[in-house]
Amino acid sequence: MPGTRVTIKDLAKRMNLSVSTISRALHNNPSIGAETTAEVWKLAKQLGYFPNSVASNLRRRKTNMIGVIVPRIDITFHSHVISGVEEVAYKMGYNVTIYQSHDSLEREVAITSILQTNMVAGIIACLALETQDCGHFARFNNQKVPLVFYDRVSNDLEASKVIIDDFDAAFRVTQHLINIGCKRIAHIAGCLTTSIFSARLDGYKAALAKNNLPFDQNMVCCASDLSYEEGARCTKKLLKLTEMPDGLFCANDYTAIGAIQVIKKNNLRIPEDIAVAGFSNYPVSTIIEPALTTIDDRAFEMGKTAARMLIRQVEERDTNIASETIVIRTDLIVRDSTRRQPVQP
Amino acid sequence: MPGTRVTIKDLAKRMNLSVSTISRALHNNPSIGAETTAEVWKLAKQLGYFPNSVASNLRRRKTNMIGVIVPRIDITFHSHVISGVEEVAYKMGYNVTIYQSHDSLEREVAITSILQTNMVAGIIACLALETQDCGHFARFNNQKVPLVFYDRVSNDLEASKVIIDDFDAAFRVTQHLINIGCKRIAHIAGCLTTSIFSARLDGYKAALAKNNLPFDQNMVCCASDLSYEEGARCTKKLLKLTEMPDGLFCANDYTAIGAIQVIKKNNLRIPEDIAVAGFSNYPVSTIIEPALTTIDDRAFEMGKTAARMLIRQVEERDTNIASETIVIRTDLIVRDSTRRQPVQP
DNA sequence: TTAAAATAAGCAAACGTTTGCGTAACTTTT
DNA sequence: AAAAGTTACGCAAACGTTTGCTTATTTTAA
C-alpha cells in the first residue's frame, strides 16, 4: 500500500489489542506481558511500522530537536562546531536543525520565531555581528527552553555559554612574539564591539604592558569583516608606518593569510623581518608558506561541549536551569611564520 | 504565565469564537469577516501567540522539514552545499535538519529511519562512500517522499539528481594541460567505484585519446581518501617513474595541494617542470603557491538547485514525482600552477 | 477459603491544529 | 414575497501518540 503509513492503530486492530497496549509494548513498558510485547515488536517489524515522532512530540509536548543558529554555515569555524553538535546530538537521540543569520539581527529575530513555532527542545547560537540587544532570546527563558551560546555570547541574558578565553589566548600569542624578539608588534583586530575581538585586543595590550613595551594606537588596524582582503588592506597600511612592525598578531587566520601575501609581495621575509601569527587554526594555516603560527580554538570540541551542555539542561528541565559557562582550553600552535632563533639577551 | 503556551483555544475563549474561526482567521481565510480576522490577529499579537507547527504538521500529515544527509559537515564542499540548501529553504519556509553519515553505510541506514520517523517532507543526500546498494532509500519512494541526490548519486534508484558533468570537466582540465604543452600527464584518481571519480578518470582518458597521446596505467594513482597525505603519497610514487610526468591532474584540490608540496620539496618547478591542476576550487586553492588551476564545482549553487528541485517536488506531490537530473555547469579556473607560455607548434 | 496483592490490558482524554460539512442570518433575484 | 444565493461562523472529527485511571484476571498470603 504505497502512500499509507502503518500506525499503532493498525497494529492494534491486527492483534485485537488496544492502542495503549501497543504503545506500551513498543516502549517495553513492564506492565505489558513479555510475550505480548515480543509479538507486538514482531508484527511491527513485519509490517514496517515506524513511530510517528510528530504525533509523539505533540502528545509529550516536547520535541527532540536542537535548533542551531550560526552566522554562516560555510565558515570553517562554524561548520566544525556544527559537526561537533551533530555528533553528540546523534548519539543522544536528538536532531539538529540549522539556520544562518548571515550576521543580520532581523534574520536572527525571525529565526527565533521559527524555533519557537517548531517547539525546539533547546537552542545553540552564535550571535549575529549586528546583535547588541538579545531581547528576542528572552522568550525562551519564559518557555523554559534551554539556550547555549557559543563564541559570540550575550552578557545581558541569563544563558549558558561555551567560549574560549580570548584574552588569555591573545596574551599568549603576543607573549610568544615577544619571546622570539619582536619589539614592535602590530595587531589586526576584528570588530571591537564584539566581545571576543575586544578581548583579543586587550590580551595583546596586556602582554605588551607586562613586557614594558609601549602601546601604539597606530599599530592597531581594524578589519571590518576578517577576510583575506581586509587582512591585506590593513597590512598595506601598517607597512607604510615610519616605524614598521616586526611582528603581527591577526585576529583570525584569514586576515593573517592576507597579511602574509602582502608582506611577501613587499619582499620582506617572514619571520625574519616580520613574524606573523593568526587565530583559529584553520586548515589553510598549514598550507600557506610559511605555515602560520596560530591559536587552535578547537571548534569541534566547542560544538560537542555546547551540545552536551544543552542536552543535559533539556533533560533536567524540571529540576532547574542553572546557566553555566564553560571555557574551552586553547592551544598555541607554533609554525614557521614565527619560528626564529630565540634572541640572546 | 511562564511555561504555558497560548493556543488558539485560548484565543477562542477570550473572543467567544470557535477555534475553527480563529484558525481560519489566522490563515486569512476569506470566509471569515475582515473585521473579525483583524481582531483575532490583534489579540494573537497581544497575547504572544505562536502557532504550534508540531500540531499543525500532525493534522496536515506533512512537515516542512528537509532532511539533509552529508558525509561530513566540516568538509568545505558539503558545508557550501548545505549553505545553499538552507538559503533557499529558509526563503521558501522550510527547515533544514542535517545528519552526517561519516561515509558509513550503517549510519546512513539509521539516518533514513530517523528521517522517516520524523516525517520529513523531502530529502537531499550525498551517498556515503560505503554505499553501493540504496535499498534503504527505497522506502521513501513508497511514502512518496521526494528524494534528491547530489554529487554522489545512485543510479539504481528512481530519484532526482543534481550533479556536475565530471567527465566533461575532467576532459577540459586535461585538454587545458595538453594545450599548454604537457605530453605526459598523470592523474591522481579517487575511489574508482564511485561514479564521479571514474567519470573524471574517463574524461582524462578521453582527452588523451582525442589528442593522440598514449594512456599509461602507471600514470594513474588511486588515492584512497583524497587527503593531502594521499596526494603526497601518490605524487612521490609518480615522481619515481623513469619517465616523469610533466602534467598532473588531481581528482580534488586536497590531493593537488599535497602534490604541489611534494613537487616543490623535490626542487621541481611548477608549472615549468610539472603543471598541476585540481578539482573543486576550494578556498585554499588560491592560497597555495603557485595558486592552483582547478574546476569550480559551484557547491553553493548545487545546494540551492537541489533545494529548489526538492521543494518543487514536495509541493507538486499530488501531481507526479517526475525524477529529473540537473547538471550544473562547471568552470575551469586557470591559475599559476598551469600558467605557462603556450607552446608554439 | 477468602481477602489482598500483583499482573496484564483496556478506556478515554488529551496534545493543538485543520477542515468538511452544516446552519443561521442576511442579501439579492424573479 | 418566496426562492435562491451569499456571508460568516460553529460543530465535530481527525491526525497518531501517550498516559492516568479503571477493570478483569491470576497469584499470593493469611
Side-chain angles (χ1 to χ4, degrees):
Chain A
M1 285 170 286
T4 78
R5 186 172 177 136
V6 19
T7 71
I8 57 174
K9 285 185 186 175
D10 301 325
L11 299 182
K13 242 170 230 161
R14 297 267 285 225
M15 299 188 69
N16 277 324
L17 289 173
S18 70
V19 289
S20 39
T21 301
I22 305 291
S23 174
R24 292 195 170 98
L26 291 172
H27 285 90
N28 295 316
N29 186 314
S31 81
I32 303 297
E35 199 175 338
T36 310
T37 297
E39 279 172 16
V40 169
W41 273 100
K42 190 176 153 202
L43 186 68
K45 291 281 172 215
Q46 185 186 319
L47 263 54
Y49 167 78
F50 272 87
N52 182 327
S53 70
V54 174
S56 168
N57 291 339
L58 176 60
R59 172 59 224 232
R60 288 168 31 241
R61 316 180 94 216
K62 80 185 281 285
T63 66
N64 52 350
M65 187 68 84
I66 295 176
V68 179
I69 310 178
V70 299
R72 298 182 54 124
I73 297 163
D74 55 2
I75 290 179
T76 312
F77 173 69
H78 298 290
S79 77
H80 282 248
V81 170
I82 296 174
S83 183
V85 170
E86 197 274 345
E87 194 59 27
V88 345
Y90 179 81
K91 285 188 183 143
M92 310 276 287
Y94 286 78
N95 303 299
V96 177
T97 120
I98 48 173
Y99 302 86
Q100 313 190 73
S101 70
H102 290 281
D103 279 319
S104 144
L105 172 60
E106 184 190 347
R107 188 140 166 186
E108 189 176 272
V109 172
I111 292 167
T112 56
S113 293
I114 295 174
L115 291 176
Q116 185 168 10
T117 286
N118 286 351
M119 285 200 2
V120 290
I123 294 162
I124 294 174
C126 174
L127 290 177
L129 276 179
E130 278 184 24
T131 303
Q132 303 294 335
D133 174 35
C134 285
H136 49 299
F137 282 106
R139 65 179 88 180
F140 297 113
N141 275 339
N142 300 336
Q143 302 278 347
K144 298 206 182 255
V145 174
L147 191 52
V148 173
F149 288 107
Y150 75 88
D151 197 44
R152 302 205 292 249
V153 306
S154 162
N155 289 321
D156 51 82
L157 195 73
E158 167 90 356
S160 295
K161 295 159 198 168
V162 179
I163 50 174
I164 59 172
D165 190 339
D166 286 281
F167 178 93
D168 175 66
F171 185 97
R172 279 153 57 211
V173 174
T174 311
Q175 183 65 57
H176 166 69
L177 289 172
I178 295 169
N179 289 348
I180 63 167
C182 296
K183 301 287 183 204
R184 294 183 309 283
I185 301 172
H187 177 45
I188 297 181
C191 167
L192 291 179
T193 59
T194 307
S195 61
I196 59 172
F197 296 123
S198 66
R200 291 178 197 178
L201 174 61
D202 290 343
Y204 154 81
K205 283 185 188 172
L208 293 185
K210 170 117 186 277
N211 292 272
N212 298 317
L213 290 175
F215 169 69
D216 177 358
Q217 186 62 54
N218 292 321
M219 296 289 259
V220 175
C221 179
C222 285
S224 59
D225 63 357
L226 296 172
S227 61
Y228 298 129
E229 292 74 18
E230 278 291 288
R233 182 185 65 79
C234 288
T235 308
K236 282 176 196 157
K237 194 171 145 197
L238 291 170
L239 292 185
K240 281 186 193 140
L241 293 175
T242 46
E243 282 215 305
M244 238 180 42
D246 60 357
L248 176 59
F249 163 42
C250 305
N252 80 338
D253 283 354
Y254 289 155
T255 50
I257 283 163
I260 287 180
Q261 292 178 328
V262 167
I263 292 170
K264 280 161 66 173
K265 228 166 256 167
N266 279 38
N267 289 320
L268 294 166
R269 293 164 308 163
I270 303 171
E272 291 80 2
D273 298 322
I274 304 182
V276 179
F279 204 110
S280 276
N281 194 27
Y282 282 174
V284 67
S285 58
T286 65
I287 302 304
I288 186 81
E289 290 178 41
L292 183 65
T293 289
T294 189
I295 289 284
D296 184 12
D297 58 13
R298 300 171 76 233
F300 185 72
E301 191 62 30
M302 208 159 185
K304 290 207 293 186
T305 304
R308 272 193 290 259
M309 199 156 139
L310 185 79
I311 291 173
R312 192 160 41 70
Q313 291 188 13
V314 166
E315 299 185 346
E316 290 173 357
R317 167 149 48 165
D318 302 323
T319 63
N320 60 348
I321 315 187
S323 73
E324 48 182 329
T325 297
I326 293 185
V327 179
I328 301 271
R329 182 178 54 78
T330 59
D331 293 321
L332 173 66
I333 299 185
V334 176
R335 298 206 183 91
D336 289 347
S337 71
T338 64
R339 199 112 61 186
R340 285 187 195 166
Q341 297 308 318
V343 282
Q344 310 299 338
Chain B
M1 287 171 283
T4 78
R5 187 173 176 133
V6 20
T7 71
I8 56 174
K9 285 185 187 177
D10 301 325
L11 299 182
K13 241 170 231 159
R14 297 267 285 225
M15 300 190 68
N16 278 324
L17 289 173
S18 70
V19 289
S20 39
T21 299
I22 305 293
S23 173
R24 291 195 171 100
L26 291 172
H27 285 91
N28 296 316
N29 187 313
S31 81
I32 303 298
E35 198 175 339
T36 310
T37 297
E39 279 172 16
V40 169
W41 274 101
K42 189 176 157 202
L43 185 68
K45 291 282 172 213
Q46 185 186 319
L47 264 53
Y49 168 78
F50 271 88
N52 182 326
S53 70
V54 174
S56 167
N57 290 339
L58 176 61
R59 173 59 224 234
R60 287 168 31 240
R61 312 176 104 228
K62 81 184 280 286
T63 65
N64 52 349
M65 186 67 85
I66 296 177
V68 179
I69 311 177
V70 298
R72 300 181 53 125
I73 297 164
D74 54 2
I75 290 179
T76 311
F77 173 69
H78 297 292
S79 77
H80 282 248
V81 170
I82 295 173
S83 183
V85 170
E86 198 273 345
E87 194 58 28
V88 345
Y90 178 82
K91 285 186 183 145
M92 310 276 287
Y94 286 78
N95 303 297
V96 177
T97 122
I98 47 171
Y99 302 85
Q100 314 190 71
S101 70
H102 291 281
D103 279 320
S104 144
L105 172 60
E106 184 190 347
R107 188 140 167 187
E108 189 175 272
V109 172
I111 292 168
T112 56
S113 293
I114 295 174
L115 290 176
Q116 185 167 13
T117 286
N118 287 351
M119 286 199 3
V120 289
I123 294 163
I124 294 174
C126 174
L127 289 176
L129 275 179
E130 276 184 27
T131 304
Q132 303 293 334
D133 174 35
C134 285
H136 50 299
F137 282 106
R139 65 178 87 179
F140 297 113
N141 275 338
N142 301 335
Q143 302 279 349
K144 298 204 183 258
V145 174
L147 190 52
V148 173
F149 288 106
Y150 75 88
D151 196 45
R152 300 204 294 249
V153 305
S154 163
N155 288 321
D156 51 84
L157 195 73
E158 168 90 355
S160 296
K161 295 160 199 168
V162 179
I163 50 175
I164 58 171
D165 190 339
D166 286 281
F167 178 92
D168 175 67
F171 185 96
R172 278 154 56 211
V173 174
T174 312
Q175 183 65 56
H176 166 69
L177 289 171
I178 294 169
N179 289 348
I180 63 167
C182 296
K183 301 287 183 205
R184 293 182 311 282
I185 301 171
H187 177 46
I188 297 182
C191 167
L192 292 179
T193 59
T194 307
S195 61
I196 60 172
F197 297 123
S198 67
R200 292 178 197 177
L201 175 61
D202 291 343
Y204 155 81
K205 283 185 189 173
L208 293 185
K210 171 117 186 276
N211 293 272
N212 298 317
L213 291 174
F215 169 69
D216 178 358
Q217 186 62 53
N218 292 322
M219 297 288 262
V220 174
C221 180
C222 284
S224 58
D225 63 359
L226 297 173
S227 60
Y228 299 129
E229 292 74 18
E230 278 291 289
R233 182 184 67 76
C234 287
T235 307
K236 282 176 196 157
K237 196 171 143 197
L238 291 170
L239 293 185
K240 281 185 193 138
L241 293 175
T242 46
E243 282 216 304
M244 240 180 42
D246 60 357
L248 177 58
F249 163 43
C250 305
N252 79 339
D253 283 353
Y254 290 155
T255 51
I257 283 162
I260 287 181
Q261 291 177 328
V262 167
I263 292 171
K264 279 161 68 173
K265 228 166 254 166
N266 280 38
N267 290 320
L268 294 166
R269 294 166 306 166
I270 303 172
E272 291 79 1
D273 298 321
I274 304 182
V276 179
F279 204 110
S280 277
N281 194 30
Y282 282 175
V284 67
S285 59
T286 64
I287 304 304
I288 186 80
E289 292 179 41
L292 183 63
T293 290
T294 188
I295 290 283
D296 184 11
D297 58 14
R298 302 171 76 233
F300 185 72
E301 191 61 33
M302 210 160 182
K304 290 207 293 185
T305 303
R308 272 193 289 259
M309 198 156 142
L310 185 78
I311 291 172
R312 192 159 43 70
Q313 291 188 14
V314 166
E315 300 186 344
E316 290 173 357
R317 167 149 48 165
D318 302 322
T319 62
N320 61 347
I321 316 187
S323 73
E324 47 182 330
T325 297
I326 292 184
V327 178
I328 302 271
R329 182 178 53 78
T330 59
D331 292 321
L332 173 66
I333 299 185
V334 177
R335 298 203 184 92
D336 289 347
S337 72
T338 64
R339 199 113 59 186
R340 285 187 195 165
Q341 297 308 319
V343 283
Q344 311 298 339

